[in-house]
Amino acid sequence: MKRITNDIYHIGVNDRKIDLFESQYPVPNGMAYNSYLINDGKIAVFDTVEAHFTDEWFENIKEVIGDKAPDYLIIQHMEPDHSANIMNFAKKYPTAELVGNAKTFKFMEQFFGDSLTERQVIVKEGDTLSLGRHELKFVMAPMVHWPEVMVTYDSLDRVLFSADAFGKFGASDIDEEWLDEARRYYIGIVGKYGMQVQALLRKAGALEIEKICSLHGPVLESGLEEVINKYNIWSSYGVEKNGVVLCYTSIYGHTQDAVMKLKDKLVSSGVDVKVYDLARDWKSSAVADAFSYGKVVLATTTYNNEIFPPMREFLSELKERGFQNRTVGIIENGSWAPQAAKIIKAELEGCKNITFCENTVTLKSALNDESAQQLEKLAEELK
Ligand code: FEO
């Protein structure tokens, strides 16, 4: 439990045992499931926590309000990392009302078989709820990250309770910069919904915000302008970093050799370069950087007259998140019938504003004089 303002408390928990968030994102620094409490004339709790932390969460509530009962549970998001304890809360505090929008309660019924109709307070865009000194205003944020998501603004303390938005991977009490793990979290989990995030940013722009209380990661209270600026770049699919990200697969090391030579050429010219082996490195970091850097090189082998599986999977991850506005270079390898460049171009055909480099590098097994020259030209094009 941690006090954030005079009346607002962090009552969330940290999961230090989890290996993969959403069963797919590595989280070596754990994961925070945040929950907040406003202790005013009326007591409001914002969201529950993941299923394994019921007792700890109730202890946190008790630490703030003793044997009093909350008046409201504000349900901003129904994904189970935040909603798992709704029924436990409702049973423990039978007089508390549940605040959500129409979609919230539809999902509640789907998850729990009961939406506790008689205890619902249904809100819509712009509705307010007074707790005494604090007046809460509800702002709908559909698809950031599910359709029922809403955020809440407390005008007294100028706090935005932002649901998943502005969250990050990692426990809330570790000493770690927000940016890299917030980017990996955002691009991985919410990246597809840039348009909806832009809509939320426009609404947030009309509010005076001093603190952001996300459902993941730390409470944000300094550098908010930069945090919002990053969200603006990511959600508009803009270029955050000038430089090149090299994403490759290599079976026996020859494609990797070409990638590393390209890296050396670019680095020696002062270009910011990141390299990912798609078969071994975190895919979520490679995806995040492909949406962060302005130029992406895809290097892979032809395999079963297709492309090597981790590259195919990587392209799917890019496409499903709306990959766009990038310069793309290609290095292909194929000992008898190289196809990878053709397949990659076809895969990215539906992506908006993709400019392919004029120079494609074609390896037939390994670099030779001809492909080394192609590599030189591609490096020149990428500088
Ligand atoms: Fe943290 Fe979309 O749940």
Side-chain angles (χ1 to χ4, degrees):
M1 188 274 285
K2 186 178 152 204
R3 200 168 198 160
I4 297 168
T5 70
N6 209 32
D7 303 322
I8 301 179
Y9 296 81
H10 176 264
I11 54 164
V13 299
N14 284 311
D15 186 346
R16 297 183 180 284
K17 290 191 176 152
I18 186 172
D19 55 349
L20 297 175
F21 182 66
E22 285 192 356
S23 294
Q24 60 168 326
Y25 298 100
V27 283
N29 289 327
M31 197 67 200
Y33 311 118
N34 294 332
S35 171
Y36 303 93
L37 185 149
I38 302 184
N39 194 9
D40 196 353
K42 299 275 187 185
I43 297 166
V45 170
F46 288 78
D47 297 291
T48 81
V49 295
E50 204 265 353
H52 295 93
F53 298 90
T54 312
D55 292 344
E56 186 181 339
W57 180 58
F58 282 139
E59 279 303 311
N60 289 347
I61 294 175
K62 192 173 179 187
E63 204 179 327
V64 183
I65 60 171
D67 291 328
K68 286 200 275 182
D71 297 280
Y72 301 109
L73 175 65
I74 317 270
I75 304 166
Q76 300 186 113
H77 188 11
M78 277 301 298
E79 192 164 10
D81 49 337
H82 312 295
S83 69
N85 279 294
I86 289 176
M87 281 302 157
N88 291 331
F89 178 95
K91 282 183 196 144
K92 189 174 175 75
Y93 301 114
T95 57
E97 294 186 293
L98 309 177
V99 181
N101 55 67
K103 289 188 180 121
T104 312
F105 295 110
K106 183 171 177 286
F107 286 156
M108 225 176 101
E109 177 138 33
Q110 288 176 196
F111 276 112
F112 299 107
D114 186 353
S115 61
L116 299 177
T117 317
E118 68 288 355
R119 293 168 66 180
Q120 292 178 4
V121 177
I122 299 180
V123 295
K124 54 188 187 322
E125 179 75 27
D127 282 356
T128 57
L129 177 69
S130 176
L131 303 177
R133 294 182 303 282
H134 295 259
E135 184 173 86
L136 304 179
K137 182 176 181 179
F138 301 103
V139 177
M140 300 301 121
M143 301 318 297
V144 186
H145 137 237
W146 280 17
E148 85 299 355
V149 171
M150 61 185 198
V151 303
T152 311
Y153 180 64
D154 169 29
S155 52
L156 183 69
D157 288 342
R158 296 177 178 163
V159 171
L160 180 69
F161 297 93
S162 64
D164 276 341
F166 305 108
K168 68 182 275 294
F169 295 126
S172 61
D173 56 355
I174 55 163
D175 187 17
E176 177 181 65
E177 293 238 345
W178 176 83
L179 183 59
D180 285 344
E181 286 297 72
R183 181 192 302 108
R184 191 166 69 91
Y185 172 88
Y186 171 83
I187 300 292
I189 291 174
V190 195
K192 177 180 175 62
Y193 303 109
M195 204 164 67
Q196 290 86 347
V197 174
Q198 285 278 300
L200 176 60
L201 291 177
R202 281 193 292 276
K203 292 180 192 177
L207 305 171
E208 260 187 81
I209 299 169
E210 286 181 7
K211 291 180 172 52
I212 295 177
C213 291
S214 168
L215 290 178
H216 299 292
V219 172
L220 300 169
E221 32 198 339
S222 62
L224 292 191
E225 201 175 318
E226 185 57 10
V227 162
I228 290 168
N229 181 42
K230 290 294 180 188
Y231 255 61
N232 190 29
I233 294 171
W234 299 336
S235 59
S236 59
Y237 305 94
V239 173
E240 181 192 355
K241 298 180 195 170
N242 290 316
V244 186
V245 58
L246 309 178
C247 303
Y248 74 93
T249 66
S250 189
I251 303 173
Y252 293 107
H254 298 98
T255 312
Q256 182 187 44
D257 178 45
V259 168
M260 293 308 168
K261 285 192 166 64
L262 177 61
K263 176 194 158 197
D264 291 345
K265 288 175 196 298
L266 294 171
V267 168
S268 67
S269 299
V271 178
D272 176 14
V273 180
K274 283 289 273 287
V275 183
Y276 289 101
D277 175 349
L278 298 177
R280 290 177 178 79
D281 295 329
W282 286 356
K283 194 177 48 185
S284 54
S285 296
V287 170
D289 270 336
F291 280 84
S292 169
Y293 284 85
K295 296 173 183 172
V296 181
V297 171
L298 303 168
T300 194
T301 39
T302 306
Y303 191 80
N304 288 334
N305 215 23
E306 257 290 348
I307 50 177
F308 201 57
M311 178 60 80
R312 172 160 290 287
E313 196 183 329
F314 182 62
L315 293 178
S316 291
E317 298 252 357
L318 297 184
K319 286 191 297 179
E320 69 193 50
R321 288 170 177 78
F323 187 63
Q324 56 188 275
N325 301 334
R326 294 306 187 261
T327 298
V328 174
I330 299 175
I331 299 172
E332 64 174 351
N333 198 345
S335 290
W336 62 95
Q339 295 282 335
K342 192 174 88 182
I343 293 169
I344 288 171
K345 284 184 178 173
E347 284 289 325
L348 297 180
E349 209 169 50
C351 298
K352 282 190 270 182
N353 197 20
I354 298 294
T355 306
F356 289 103
C357 292
E358 280 179 22
N359 295 284
T360 292
V361 179
T362 298
L363 310 182
K364 284 192 170 167
S365 306
L367 270 173
N368 60 14
D369 287 348
E370 188 184 352
S371 50
Q373 274 187 16
Q374 293 170 346
L375 198 67
E376 190 64 48
K377 286 182 185 167
L378 179 61
E380 285 304 314
E381 223 182 321
L382 290 167
K383 283 176 189 169

